[in-house]
Amino acid sequence: MTLFDYVIVGSGPSGVAAALRLQHKNTCLIDVGNSPKTSFKHASLQTALEAKDTKALLGSKWEMLDNIIHPNNVHPKLRAEALRFVMQGEPFSVYSPANELLLRGACSYAAGGMSNVWGGQLLRYTKKDLDEVGDWPIDISSIESYYDELETHIGISGQIDHMYEFLGKSTPSMPPIPMVPSAKKLLERYLEKKQALKDEYKLLLGHPRLAIATTNSLGRSPHSLGETEFFSSDQPGFYTAKKTLDRLESAGSITYLKHHKLLTWHEDKDYVELKLRNVATNELITLRAKHLLLGCGTLQTARLVLKKNNHYNKPLPFIDHPPILLPLFMPGMFGTKLPEKSYPIQLIATLQQQTKSNMISMYYPGGMLWSDLLLDIPLPLTYSKRIIRGLLGGMLVAQIWEASTPHPENRVQINAESELQINYRNRESNAILRGLLRHLAPLGAYSLTRFGAKSPPGWGFHHAGCLPMRHSPEEFETHVDGRLWNSMRIRVIDGSVLPSLPAKNHSLTLMSNASRIADEALRCGY
């Protein structure tokens, strides 16, 4: 029977980060490894529109128009034909306080996991972030070196500006992405306002930090800015976890066992025995590992651990970042010529001295179909359709995140059929909308609080907290070195172990913490 020193389950950001640390160490990475069934054959959204390729743009069953009838049911990044492979893992359902179904979703079995559709914002947590949310048993110093190494491995574009301390003190290796005219104008007006009022003006605004190549870097050509982010997972110059997976596999640094799903395991004194199923042939196989690292994604890992321990209908903590989406209108920019190339995330901001930390990503919606935007324009659809081209030049969308901590009414469990069910009973109202609009108005950007649309829990995919790490873990918690409360050889390396979520995207922290836990496995001495 095959014995590996380390087996990693899952090829998303956490899994590949651990594999980087454990390469050349008799390491096997296992995943289902779904890949696209089709491709978006156009180099840019503009060329697809010019070709009038309805199937590529709308799907063979016009799936890209589902939002008009069922808003929020499916994230706009997951409706395209070439992206449906990303979410074909374990299904989950989210229920409201009134036990109404809010969302049907699915986890990822894709090679590269959810990084296939992430926005590419890779941000550091800071000491201030962890102090605010509390309950973290590790200091930020324990993952800072891993932030450094991963940023070097990936390549980050950005700029040192007013958001430097908020985003974490690292130096981007490439210039920021080009800005569209509306975002450029907003930033120019902000700098003038900040210079005049200094600390009295509480809004901070700057460039995002993105896993996007803006120059030839690390063997990657610059991103094409072809506005295909909502149609394809394979864009030149855009980093996903699959890029690292492919590199490790082609170099022979790890063994990659594709098309396999972990069913269960048995831990012995000297090894862990894994039961796997080949999803292509249905063949059952067994292998052994000295150390098992679970990086299946927060919900799928929680499901496996609950099922292994025969705990059906037992609730575990569940944390998410359900964002608020707010359209912003800049009348002075209406009618301006639309850019031929762009990237969605244009600016990043925070409003200081709030009760909870917050992060505001400002998107330019040029890469989205107009059918995805019409509902955000506060006019009847017939009028919105007539004027949308003129509006787009002066339109941005603010995506607002706030820090999230565990709440006893927000839980996840599996039923007798092992299906995931999330009950999200408590959701605080967003506290910064009025203050944000008050600070944006002098910059020529306007909206109304009632235009803010709450995304349903589970929609933003910032899931965490089901198996939180503790110094002295209790049942269904983990040790600081990632080990399950009842195990010596099984570690959890994904978002399950994060005890709470600062307002930022947690992708880079997932990867850094997975790297740290991989090193703990290397050092453990058995």
Side-chain angles (χ1 to χ4, degrees):
M1 184 179 296
T2 305
L3 174 66
F4 291 100
D5 288 328
Y6 305 95
V7 166
I8 301 164
V9 183
S11 65
S14 300
V16 301
L20 269 175
R21 305 301 300 178
L22 298 174
Q23 60 180 314
H24 307 299
K25 303 290 184 183
N26 189 27
T27 297
C28 176
L29 189 147
I30 297 168
D31 76 344
V32 175
N34 286 345
S35 57
K37 300 294 189 289
T38 185
S39 63
F40 189 71
K41 61 185 180 182
H42 301 279
S44 71
L45 179 58
Q46 185 61 36
T47 56
L49 291 168
E50 291 171 353
K52 298 182 180 179
D53 190 343
T54 304
K55 183 179 178 182
L57 292 167
L58 299 182
S60 55
K61 298 180 180 179
W62 289 29
E63 295 88 345
M64 290 295 283
L65 300 180
D66 283 352
N67 69 299
I68 295 176
I69 302 172
H70 305 291
N72 288 334
N73 269 20
V74 182
H75 195 288
K77 274 194 172 182
L78 295 164
R79 293 201 304 268
E81 201 163 35
L83 291 175
R84 289 179 216 150
F85 77 98
V86 175
M87 286 184 64
Q88 294 178 341
E90 300 300 329
F92 63 85
S93 301
V94 184
Y95 292 89
S96 72
N99 212 34
E100 297 171 336
L101 180 65
L102 293 175
L103 178 75
R104 290 192 194 278
C107 306
S108 184
Y109 279 149
M114 291 301 295
S115 71
N116 287 285
V117 290
W118 66 5
Q121 288 201 82
L122 295 184
L123 312 177
R124 297 185 179 210
Y125 288 175
T126 65
K127 181 179 183 301
K128 182 179 178 182
D129 291 328
L130 299 194
D131 287 346
E132 179 187 353
V133 294
D135 216 19
W136 278 60
I138 63 172
D139 295 326
I140 199 65
S141 59
S142 66
I143 56 175
E144 281 182 333
S145 65
Y146 300 108
Y147 281 146
D148 294 339
E149 292 175 13
L150 285 164
E151 287 175 343
T152 299
H153 171 76
I154 293 167
I156 305 294
S157 62
Q159 184 169 305
I160 296 176
D161 53 25
H162 289 172
M163 292 295 290
Y164 177 65
E165 291 196 8
F166 176 86
L167 296 178
K169 296 180 179 180
S170 63
T171 303
S173 58
M174 292 174 284
I177 57 164
M179 301 181 72
V180 300
S182 56
K184 185 177 181 181
K185 178 63 70 174
L186 190 68
L187 184 60
E188 288 172 352
R189 290 171 175 169
Y190 159 78
L191 292 172
E192 292 172 2
K193 193 74 172 178
K194 194 70 176 176
Q195 177 66 27
L197 296 180
K198 300 191 184 308
D199 292 341
E200 294 179 26
Y201 190 67
K202 300 304 180 184
L203 182 70
L204 296 179
L205 186 67
H207 295 274
R209 291 186 190 166
L210 299 168
I212 302 294
T214 56
T215 60
N216 288 302
S217 176
L218 303 173
R220 287 186 287 154
S221 57
H223 192 276
S224 65
L225 304 176
E227 301 183 332
T228 62
E229 288 76 22
F230 287 73
F231 298 90
S232 173
S233 63
D234 187 21
Q235 304 161 61
F238 183 76
Y239 174 81
T240 67
K242 190 175 184 301
K243 300 289 196 303
T244 296
L245 175 65
D246 290 345
R247 193 182 310 179
L248 292 170
E249 182 188 16
S250 63
S253 305
I254 60 169
T255 299
Y256 178 36
L257 196 58
K258 189 178 179 181
H259 301 313
H260 284 78
K261 179 179 178 180
L262 175 63
L263 302 178
T264 190
W265 62 82
H266 170 72
E267 184 172 359
D268 210 333
K269 177 176 176 291
D270 298 317
Y271 58 82
V272 181
E273 188 167 286
L274 287 71
K275 302 292 184 183
L276 308 174
R277 179 170 65 86
N278 186 316
V279 298
T281 66
N282 246 2
E283 177 188 6
L284 299 177
I285 70 166
T286 302
L287 56 81
R288 290 175 178 173
K290 292 182 180 178
H291 300 276
L292 171 61
L293 285 76
L294 298 174
C296 312
T298 297
L299 290 174
Q300 290 185 147
T301 293
R303 177 183 177 274
L304 279 169
V305 173
L306 284 167
K307 188 176 179 182
K308 166 63 181 171
N309 288 274
N310 293 313
H311 275 269
Y312 299 89
N313 298 314
K314 175 183 175 57
L316 297 181
F318 177 74
I319 309 171
D320 189 25
H321 266 160
I324 283 186
L325 302 179
L326 181 71
L328 301 175
F329 302 98
M330 301 175 64
M333 300 298 293
F334 289 166
T336 56
K337 183 180 178 181
L338 301 183
E340 294 182 1
K341 295 185 175 183
S342 71
Y343 186 75
I345 304 170
Q346 289 283 304
L347 295 166
I348 190 166
T350 187
L351 195 58
Q352 297 177 295
Q353 295 184 350
Q354 302 299 301
T355 55
K356 294 173 67 176
S357 68
N358 56 82
M359 188 183 83
I360 305 135
S361 298
M362 295 188 184
Y363 290 73
Y364 170 66
M368 299 176 69
L369 296 180
W370 289 2
S371 55
D372 280 308
L373 304 174
L374 292 175
L375 298 180
D376 290 328
I377 298 173
L379 294 171
L381 284 177
T382 52
Y383 289 103
S384 298
K385 182 181 175 182
R386 293 176 192 171
I387 66 173
I388 189 168
R389 179 181 292 276
L391 289 179
L392 271 180
M395 188 174 174
L396 296 170
V397 178
Q399 192 172 56
I400 303 165
W401 312 85
E402 289 189 313
S404 187
T405 53
H407 191 281
E409 294 184 3
N410 298 337
R411 315 289 279 182
V412 62
Q413 62 192 50
I414 58 172
N415 60 22
E417 288 74 41
S418 300
E419 298 168 335
L420 285 157
Q421 177 178 314
I422 298 167
N423 294 297
Y424 211 89
R425 312 297 192 192
N426 179 269
R427 181 173 179 183
E428 296 180 17
S429 59
N430 193 290
I432 74 162
L433 278 181
R434 292 186 184 280
L436 175 61
L437 292 176
R438 189 168 60 250
H439 281 76
L440 288 174
L443 310 183
Y446 306 94
S447 191
L448 296 173
T449 56
R450 67 172 180 268
F451 295 160
K454 287 185 178 181
S455 304
W459 187 87
F461 307 111
H462 292 189
H463 305 159
C466 303
L467 304 163
M469 53 183 170
R470 309 287 188 209
H471 284 301
S472 300
E474 298 181 358
E475 188 179 42
F476 291 99
E477 295 179 342
T478 51
H479 293 268
V480 171
D481 64 4
R483 287 177 299 119
L484 287 170
W485 80 99
N486 58 356
S487 173
M488 289 294 291
R489 297 182 178 272
I490 302 167
R491 289 173 164 83
V492 179
I493 59 172
D494 55 32
S496 306
V497 303
L498 304 187
S500 51
L501 289 175
K504 302 169 185 170
N505 302 55
H506 66 344
S507 303
L508 188 61
T509 300
L510 291 182
M511 299 178 77
S512 299
N513 192 54
S515 300
R516 180 189 66 83
I517 292 173
D519 274 354
E520 293 279 7
L522 281 170
R523 288 193 293 261
C524 73
Y526 55 85

